Amino acid sequence: MTDEKPEEVLDFIREIVADDLRTGKHAGIVTRFPPEPNGYLHIGHAKAICLDFGVAQETGGRCHLRLDDTNPAKENEEYVESIKHDIQWLGFDWGENLYFASDYFEQMYEYACELIRNGLAYVCDLSVEDFKEYRGVPTRPGKDSPCRCRSVEENLELFRCMREGDFEDGQYVVRAKIDMASPNIHMRDPAIYRIKRIHHYRHGDKWCIYPTYDFAHCLEDSIENITHSLCTLEFEVHRPLYDWILDALDVYHPRQIEFARLNLSYTVMSKRKLLELVEGGHVNGWDDPRLPTIAGLRRRGFTPAAIREFCKRVGITKFDGLTDISLLEYCIRDELNKTAPRAMAVLNPVKLVITNYPEGQDEELEGINNPEDPAAGTRVLPFSRELYVEREDVREEAPKKFFRLVPGREVRLRYAYLVTCDEVIKDPVTGEVTEVRCTYDPDTRGGNAPDGRKVRGTIHWVSAAHALDSEMRLYDRLFMTERPDEVKEGEDFKSHLNPDSLETITAKVEPSLRDVDPGTRCQFERKCYAYIDPIDSQPGAPVFNRIVPLRDSWAKIAAKG
Ligand code: ATP
Ligand code: MG
């Protein structure tokens, strides 16, 4: 083995970009991330962001943030702000290059006029339903709209009147005059301008006509001199239309390259569905920690680095697939294992009494903050006669391999003492364990036996009198099924919601966390990684969000970490 890092393999898009730089096709790379401000960004967008901004960053180029706000029905300023915030939080910077597609409306209007003047677009008065008839289906050619032969002068005049507001919504549309027999349905005289009396969050009522997505998007890329327009696979079939529009107008022509979108198991990502969950109160807002939104992941406790690492591992390909949500969970675990200070919390507490420990006495023990990071130091752990331990660590009878609290067996209390379980007390009616009684060996302070006797099990605990009673939210997968997006006909995707996706408990937490800053992450040993909720925590009363459970590694924990 050498210290040399293996050269990173470029994905097919980075290969193309590198080639275009090598051959001098472009002096610099310009990409863009073009969200529509009609919802919050999600982890799928993060994949596109990492690619668009990543390619620009790696090549010394630039990436534009362009709010694609050409369809005002569901757009607003709140969404714009959330998008900017989320991109910055993910660690990317558009610098000077913030654009709004709606600022190009005048130019787009002019482009549409030019197509009309060149006989390449016309004003059509067929209703939406009628045009569907005319358009036909992919396997059968459509037929020409009777409006196709309208004169240029009449078309220009009608288009002007559309803009002036002389007509009803939907009364006319402008269509590109392409080919009603094309096997590609997108080429069958697609609409490029529609009448819609909708207030625009940036331009008010200045416009009552709006360009369609297909007409607008390729022109936005052209206007901004984008070199590589990276988008998801579903736009591949739209590319011939974009090519046609840009050629017809004889304007700058970016190269569009499509890649597979991110699909994640046990969640949904369409903005329409996310909005439905938010508006229907199925989750608590766009930043609900169960949502795959960037805001939700942030609130849950994910870090930007873990999300970027996830996107890197997912990679860029042409093949649509389903990514297992456990990969995302792996990425945050992997990071927090190295960086998160350890602490102890008992999630499902049962009282443990050390019968030979003097009543009223307590002492301070020392815990290692992070065995992976010696610089993280140590902390004080108060210890006393009555502790809380995890209910699942106690059994009245258990197989030999259960190295925890069973009458007659000795176990190590993390950073404290070896204790022997003498008795498990149960409620005579319910049979539930109510208390565990143990004796401790005073010569094993810190958790080591001076005689070197072997004690396999180590469990966590908190001192009953010193513990914080803290709210802890145990988040789980939002859906019970792997592909809630693929429901049967007539079925509601919401019927697959996991009713147990949030369980709120009161945990017994070690007191060192009382005044830790909200927004801090920690590992509760043997249980989970947690995040101190920055919104609901109060001074002296942290509220914990479980980010991910920890794989149980209790058996491997040695006496001194
Ligand atoms: P909708 O949910 O209505 O389809 P959208 O998620 O496509 O909307 P946009 O605002 O159009 O929302 O997306 C902005 C950019 O993010 C687009 O370039 C799009 O290709 C990309 N993007 C969206 N979803 C994903 C995804 N799941 N994986 C990768 N990229 C995505
Ligand atoms: Mg879209």
Side-chain angles (χ1 to χ4, degrees), residues 374-385:
T378 60
R379 67 190 188 281
V380 168
L381 297 168
F383 184 84
S384 61
R385 187 172 192 265

Side-chain angles (χ1 to χ4, degrees), residues 257-275:
I257 310 171
E258 304 87 10
F259 62 95
R261 67 190 297 120
L262 173 73
N263 300 303
L264 201 57
S265 61
Y266 297 98
T267 193
V268 292
M269 277 199 285
S270 110
K271 283 192 231 170
R272 184 183 60 75
K273 288 181 181 157
L274 294 173
L275 184 67

Side-chain angles (χ1 to χ4, degrees), residues 186-431:
H186 300 287
M187 299 297 271
R188 294 189 185 175
D189 291 12
I192 62 172
Y193 257 96
R194 295 195 177 98
I195 307 172
K196 279 187 191 174
R197 280 180 179 71
I198 307 177
H199 189 82
H200 192 283
Y201 76 101
R202 273 172 70 80
H203 301 281
D205 298 314
K206 179 168 182 210
W207 295 91
C208 65
I209 55 170
Y210 291 98
T212 58
Y213 178 88
D214 278 343
F215 183 62
H217 200 85
C218 56
L219 288 172
E220 294 157 20
D221 284 344
S222 174
I223 290 166
E224 292 177 19
N225 286 304
I226 302 302
T227 59
H228 298 81
S229 174
L230 312 178
C231 62
T232 39
L233 286 179
E234 67 270 24
F235 293 103
E236 194 163 12
V237 287
H238 298 241
R239 179 148 42 88
L241 173 57
Y242 302 160
D243 290 342
W244 184 92
I245 294 169
L246 298 176
D247 288 347
L249 292 166
D250 194 21
V251 291
Y252 170 76
H253 205 140
R255 173 160 182 191
Q256 173 171 309
I257 310 171
E258 304 87 10
F259 62 95
R261 67 190 297 120
L262 173 73
N263 300 303
L264 201 57
S265 61
Y266 297 98
T267 193
V268 292
M269 277 199 285
S270 110
K271 283 192 231 170
R272 184 183 60 75
K273 288 181 181 157
L274 294 173
L275 184 67
E276 202 176 321
L277 293 176
V278 172
E279 288 191 330
H282 302 282
V283 293
N284 305 314
W286 284 101
D287 70 343
D288 187 297
R290 291 167 290 181
L291 288 179
T293 53
I294 305 298
L297 292 168
R298 175 170 58 238
R299 183 86 187 264
R300 174 94 162 239
F302 277 79
T303 63
I307 295 175
R308 290 195 304 264
E309 177 62 22
F310 168 74
C311 292
K312 191 173 160 186
R313 283 171 182 267
V314 168
I316 301 295
T317 70
K318 277 271 188 196
F319 306 103
D320 255 325
L322 183 70
T323 299
D324 197 315
I325 200 162
S326 62
L327 180 63
L328 183 60
E329 295 167 351
Y330 167 82
C331 290
I332 188 67
R333 270 194 205 106
D334 191 49
E335 175 181 335
L336 294 181
N337 177 44
K338 295 173 205 131
T339 58
R342 273 48 170 174
M344 293 197 284
V346 176
L347 274 51
N348 188 5
V350 66
K351 185 73 75 69
L352 182 149
V353 179
I354 302 171
T355 51
N356 61 338
Y357 194 90
E359 269 186 75
Q361 180 178 309
D362 55 35
E363 64 185 297
E364 292 187 338
L365 299 165
E366 191 179 63
I368 294 169
N369 284 338
N370 188 350
E372 305 276 321
D373 176 11
T378 60
R379 67 190 188 281
V380 168
L381 297 168
F383 184 84
S384 61
R385 187 172 192 265
E386 296 197 356
L387 313 174
Y388 286 110
V389 294
E390 221 55 78
R391 192 167 285 278
E392 69 197 16
D393 286 337
V394 181
R395 299 235 189 121
E396 214 182 5
E397 283 170 61
K400 254 188 142 51
K401 288 234 154 101
F402 186 81
F403 301 114
R404 296 181 250 174
L405 291 163
V406 190
R409 290 186 203 167
E410 190 169 45
V411 74
R412 176 179 301 103
L413 296 175
R414 180 76 155 155
Y415 299 125
Y417 291 96
L418 301 181
V419 295
T420 300
C421 178
D422 301 315
E423 193 184 358
V424 172
I425 299 174
K426 298 203 299 191
D427 182 308
V429 179
T430 62

